[in-house]
Amino acid sequence: MSKRILIAGAGRGIGKATAELAYQHGHSVITITRSGSELQDLTSPYKTIVTDLNNLEDIPFLTRSASEIDAIINCTGTHPGARNFNVEGWAESVQLSITENTKPALRLYQAFLPFFRKRGSGHFVHVSSAALDFFDPSEGGYCASKA
């Protein structure tokens, strides 16, 4: 049975691969990507919404555009600490990772839970990271936010 699946973080990496796989299995796919620049490589037969889930003003538009979905797969995630790790900025890096990786997921769940409850069905899938198994001090915030 075909499902309508919203995949957040689908501009690259595991999110993009998840979108492609879901489509290959016959599902209707709507993708969310934060940056339009990620779309240059995302030529797809599914609808793509460019939005930053950290921007609260974009959430009502998102729910209007994709309210009839059956499942959300959240693949969002960024690892700002890995780009410029240093001991002096470690606390800020941890905070940034946690903010960037948890708020979008929480906002997605908060926005779509009322639709799922009203319909009596719906699924949330939160994709973690293999980095949890290979801890490095520069990845503390990232690992905590993706666990």
Side-chain angles (χ1 to χ4, degrees):
M1 180 176 179
S2 178
K3 298 288 183 185
R4 295 162 300 199
I5 303 173
L6 177 72
I7 302 173
R12 61 178 184 224
I14 197 163
K16 182 178 178 182
T18 301
E20 291 168 355
L21 189 62
Y23 182 78
Q24 289 170 6
H25 281 85
H27 299 291
S28 174
V29 176
I30 300 171
T31 60
I32 300 173
T33 183
R34 183 188 336 204
S35 165
S37 65
E38 293 172 338
L39 293 176
Q40 65 190 0
D41 192 35
L42 193 63
T43 54
S44 66
Y46 30 82
K47 178 180 179 178
T48 297
I49 300 170
V50 178
T51 187
D52 184 347
L53 294 171
N54 281 309
N55 183 356
L56 285 174
E57 292 149 5
D58 286 356
I59 300 299
F61 166 76
L62 181 61
T63 56
R64 282 192 307 275
S65 300
S67 63
E68 293 299 316
I69 60 166
D70 299 302
I72 293 175
I73 301 175
N74 177 40
C75 301
T76 60
T78 185
H79 192 346
R83 290 190 286 274
N84 52 13
F85 177 74
N86 63 59
V87 174
E88 292 79 27
W90 189 78
E92 291 79 11
S93 172
V94 168
Q95 182 61 45
L96 185 58
S97 286
I98 291 171
T99 299
E100 290 288 316
N101 294 334
T102 58
K103 281 187 179 179
L106 294 173
R107 288 188 175 130
L108 268 177
Y109 304 154
Q110 184 178 22
F112 284 94
L113 187 58
F115 294 106
F116 288 177
R117 282 186 172 162
K118 184 176 182 181
R119 205 170 52 230
S121 66
H123 301 280
F124 291 111
V125 177
H126 185 77
V127 176
S128 188
S129 172
L132 301 171
D133 295 331
F134 308 102
F135 182 74
D136 177 283
S138 70
E139 297 181 349
Y142 178 80
C143 290
S145 69
K146 294 299 283 184

